[in-house]
Amino acid sequence: MASTLGTAQAPPVAPVTRGETGRARGRRGGSYPYWFYLPAAVIFTVFFLIPTIASFYFSFTRWDLFTSTWIGLDNYKTFFEEQALVIGLRNTLIYATMTAGLKVVIGLLLAVLLTSKIIARGYLRSVIFFPVLVSTIGVGLTFTALMNPELGLINKALAVIGITGPDWLVDPQLAIFSIALVDVWAGVGLATVIFIAGIVSIPSDYYEAAQVDGASRFYSFLHITLPLARPAVATVVTLALIGGLRSFDLIWAMTGGGPGFASDTIGSVIYKQYQAGFYGLSTAGSVVLFLLVSAIIVPLTWWLNRHEVD
Amino acid sequence: MKNTRGIVIGLIAIAFTAVFFLVPFAFIFIIASKDVASANLLEFSWPEQFQLFENLKQALQARDYLLVIAFINSFILTIASVTGLVIFSALAAYIWQRRPSRLNPVISILVLAGLIVPPAVVPTIWVLQKIGLFKTMPGLILIEIAFGIPFCILLFRAFMSTVPRELDEAAIVDGAGPLQVFFRVIFPVLRSVIMTVIILQSVFVYNDFANPLYFLPGTQNATVQLTLFNYKSQFTTQYNLLFANILLVVIPALVMFIFFNRKIVEGMAAGSVKG
């Protein structure tokens, strides 16, 4: 308190704040009141923090929203033993790594292309980015039609060049990969614009110096663009992994987790168990997802940021 | 010579994007314009009988104008959530940036958690039910605000640090109260970032599927994303209407993009880097 008083002492100004003791005590504090946090804090606490914390308790119970019975680790056991749910876990990891990897590689290539001296850059950037804004359900339903094995445009186009297209969403082995491809189609635009922002911020002197030294384009890319666009790579990887691990909308719109449960992810398992009335099990799924996301994202962010400092 | 190279690569890129990105949208438009029989063949060919407007009309009228109700629901949800997000996040970001205190590291952690941690669905329903907001529009609006706040606070805070302190200090010396300083002096200066937040969050909330699915079930409550999903089973024998529906749902996003292309792209790039 004493120090606060000290800063507020500049005496002639104090009376202006109407002499109230509370005001005079900390002019700075009074002008930036803590209660401005209140609406955000209340909403965030009630609708995000409390449910998140409560999920840990309820995941150990059999629960019908009104009464809960403690059953220890049973829900988790089910989650890691039942074939249908284990597949969900595996698919989540496949889906997240595949979408993140492809978004980085394709996004980076597109960004390099769109920052080089070619025509129609504005148009190209818009076209690639637009799907980011389109409803995931709309994208999912459209591609479900396009990926239809007999009637779908994709397999018909492949047939023209003599390739027999696969049964994209019908083949249990393939379904999750097909959905991941659609996810990349819809999301690569965001990765591209993040990479473009990263590449544009690299000073052109570096490239000029490299050119003077007779470096090839590929060499410049490898030794200038790639290391200096590292923060952008970190951002894209983190975002894509978070999105991929949580994925639900697109899968639900395209296959509903099918055929059977071949393309289930944790996200769709949570919904299915909720629908079936297994609230405790569904919540255990939420906790597993929470732990999985934290276990991957937290060390990754730490690692990526550490290297940034070096 | 350098230019020819740029033109050639540009043309190749245009051809590629046409195949990969324009064809799917053209496909939506074409199927939405066909009659039932030919639409169900899913062929990428110009409709023999162009009936886009009848299809749109039929899609809107289906099930007692359910899609029209859904559009109204979606707009209410979007407008209310985005308004709340803008005001509450700006207020919090203002104090967070202007008044360093022991709370600051706590807030950083909470914001980070909010960005990373997937919401726990059933416990959220449990909370909503306890306070009587489950299956209500206000409940869903508060959910959208709660999930969107971390991202918006970060955007506001980053921008706030570029607003000179002298601005609020001058107003404070003039005897303005904290609310006056915020709404009369700070809020107007934030205009550009407010626009970014409004545009980005409108797109997110409007396109949101999972939250309305969980927290606002019931046919009369459906948002457009939900109707689209429900029509999936209903219209599998009427692809023209399904795609007319998709077209109608995509149009608001397209309109936003045409008007705010730059703002959206910059905002998303900036927002994700800060996130």
Side-chain angles (χ1 to χ4, degrees):
Chain A
M1 278 305 110
S3 66
T4 337
L5 257 175
T7 51
Q9 244 166 17
V13 186
V16 178
T17 52
R18 276 173 248 131
E20 247 179 85
T21 40
R23 283 269 179 99
R25 200 195 301 158
R27 216 159 48 82
R28 165 155 297 177
S31 306
Y32 302 111
Y34 280 133
W35 69 261
F36 275 23
Y37 282 130
L38 208 61
V42 168
I43 295 175
F44 189 72
T45 306
V46 173
F47 298 103
F48 181 76
L49 286 184
I50 293 179
T52 304
I53 294 163
S55 68
F56 282 91
Y57 170 74
F58 286 120
S59 67
F60 293 107
T61 66
R62 191 179 294 114
W63 183 33
D64 64 0
L65 281 183
F66 301 101
T67 51
S68 54
T69 332
W70 185 269
I71 53 167
L73 286 169
D74 281 12
N75 286 328
Y76 290 98
K77 272 189 206 142
T78 317
F79 220 96
F80 290 103
E81 275 168 10
E82 210 166 293
Q83 190 57 20
L85 307 185
V86 176
I87 288 189
L89 206 62
R90 193 205 63 180
N91 281 344
T92 306
L93 291 171
I94 294 177
Y95 190 89
T97 16
M98 184 176 159
T99 50
L102 285 177
K103 280 177 191 175
V104 168
V105 173
I106 301 175
L108 200 51
L109 289 176
L110 288 172
V112 170
L113 182 73
L114 292 181
T115 47
S116 65
K117 287 183 179 131
I118 59 164
I119 54 164
R121 278 186 296 188
Y123 155 81
L124 290 170
R125 196 186 65 168
S126 300
V127 168
I128 294 166
F129 183 78
F130 181 62
V132 174
L133 304 180
V134 175
S135 126
T136 315
I137 305 302
V139 169
L141 297 180
T142 307
F143 273 89
T144 310
L146 291 173
M147 285 178 163
N148 184 306
E150 292 91 34
L151 301 173
L153 186 58
I154 296 179
N155 278 3
K156 278 187 189 162
L158 288 176
V160 171
I161 44 174
I163 301 172
T164 316
D167 292 343
W168 301 100
L169 298 166
V170 183
D171 181 344
Q173 299 295 321
L174 202 62
I176 191 74
F177 295 99
S178 309
I179 305 170
L181 285 181
V182 178
D183 190 317
V184 173
W185 179 86
V188 78
L190 183 58
T192 308
V193 300
I194 295 172
F195 283 133
I196 290 178
I199 292 175
V200 167
S201 69
I202 299 172
S204 58
D205 318 13
Y206 293 158
Y207 293 101
E208 281 154 22
Q211 217 169 18
V212 171
D213 290 348
S216 68
R217 273 160 198 272
F218 183 67
Y219 187 90
S220 301
F221 171 76
L222 219 57
H223 293 273
I224 301 173
T225 313
L226 216 48
L228 290 177
R230 202 193 162 96
V233 177
T235 307
V236 171
V237 170
T238 315
L239 277 183
L241 277 180
I242 294 178
L245 291 168
R246 285 180 175 193
S247 62
F248 167 69
D249 298 18
L250 192 62
I251 290 160
W252 202 243
M254 294 188 74
T255 62
F261 39 78
S263 63
D264 263 327
T265 57
I266 300 182
S268 69
V269 167
I270 292 173
Y271 185 68
K272 281 182 175 173
Q273 300 306 330
Y274 161 69
Q275 262 188 327
F278 298 119
Y279 296 146
L281 187 57
S282 170
T283 307
S286 293
V287 174
V288 170
L289 185 57
F290 170 39
L291 296 177
L292 190 67
V293 172
S294 315
I296 293 176
I297 300 299
V298 172
L300 184 75
T301 317
W302 177 78
W303 184 75
L304 289 170
N305 288 338
R306 210 173 73 112
H307 272 248
E308 230 172 84
V309 180
D310 289 351
Chain B
M1 142 113 197
K2 207 169 192 180
N3 239 346
T4 23
R5 189 194 162 100
I7 292 171
V8 171
I9 298 178
L11 287 176
I12 296 172
I14 290 171
F16 261 100
T17 51
V19 172
F20 283 103
F21 289 95
L22 294 184
V23 165
F25 289 107
F27 181 75
I28 297 176
F29 180 81
I30 285 175
I31 301 292
S33 309
K34 290 187 172 186
D35 59 272
V36 188
S38 55
N40 288 351
L41 296 174
L42 297 176
E43 269 172 9
F44 190 72
S45 58
W46 191 250
E48 285 153 34
Q49 198 191 343
F50 187 85
Q51 51 173 50
L52 175 66
F53 296 103
E54 286 131 86
N55 289 342
L56 293 179
K57 209 170 111 191
Q58 243 184 305
L60 283 169
Q61 286 172 339
R63 297 212 277 174
D64 291 331
Y65 292 92
L66 190 62
L67 190 56
V68 179
I69 296 171
F71 264 111
I72 297 172
N73 287 336
S74 277
F75 284 128
I76 293 175
L77 174 69
T78 308
I79 291 168
S81 315
V82 172
T83 311
L85 271 171
V86 167
I87 295 174
F88 301 154
S89 315
L91 277 172
Y94 174 57
I95 304 299
W96 191 23
Q97 204 276 320
R98 285 298 201 253
R99 186 178 178 179
S101 74
R102 259 171 291 169
L103 280 179
N104 283 27
V106 180
I107 298 170
S108 304
I109 291 174
L110 289 179
V111 166
L112 210 62
L115 288 173
I116 295 175
V117 176
V121 181
V122 191
T124 311
I125 292 176
W126 170 72
V127 168
L128 283 170
Q129 206 157 49
K130 285 264 174 199
I131 51 180
L133 288 178
F134 184 45
K135 299 188 187 180
T136 67
M137 184 57 92
L140 183 58
I141 291 168
L142 289 168
I143 293 287
E144 297 286 1
I145 295 177
F147 296 170
I149 271 181
F151 179 77
C152 296
I153 285 190
L154 275 183
L155 273 185
F156 273 119
R157 185 186 140 103
F159 192 86
M160 203 78 78
S161 57
T162 67
V163 177
R165 251 171 196 281
E166 287 77 32
L167 215 60
D168 17 324
E169 266 153 22
I172 294 166
V173 170
D174 285 347
L179 274 178
Q180 270 181 313
V181 175
F182 180 76
F183 282 107
R184 296 257 174 85
V185 181
I186 301 297
F187 212 62
V189 184
L190 299 179
R191 197 170 49 211
S192 122
V193 68
I194 289 174
M195 276 301 282
T196 308
V197 170
I198 290 179
I199 295 164
L200 293 186
Q201 290 300 321
S202 304
V203 175
F204 292 153
V205 175
Y206 174 80
N207 281 338
D208 187 13
F209 170 67
N211 293 320
L213 179 73
Y214 277 117
F215 305 122
L216 193 61
T219 322
Q220 286 303 306
N221 288 329
T223 62
V224 285
Q225 307 301 334
L226 279 183
T227 29
L228 197 54
F229 182 75
N230 294 337
Y231 282 1
K232 179 186 158 187
S233 43
Q234 199 197 350
F235 282 165
T236 35
T237 46
Q238 292 171 290
Y239 272 103
N240 55 342
L241 295 191
L242 179 66
F243 279 81
N245 207 325
I246 296 176
L247 192 62
L248 285 169
V249 172
V250 169
I251 284 173
L254 183 62
V255 172
M256 287 289 264
F257 190 58
I258 290 169
F259 282 107
F260 303 113
N261 179 343
R262 257 232 142 76
K263 198 95 194 161
I264 293 176
V265 171
E266 281 166 9
M268 284 221 178
S272 7
V273 172
K274 269 148 209 151

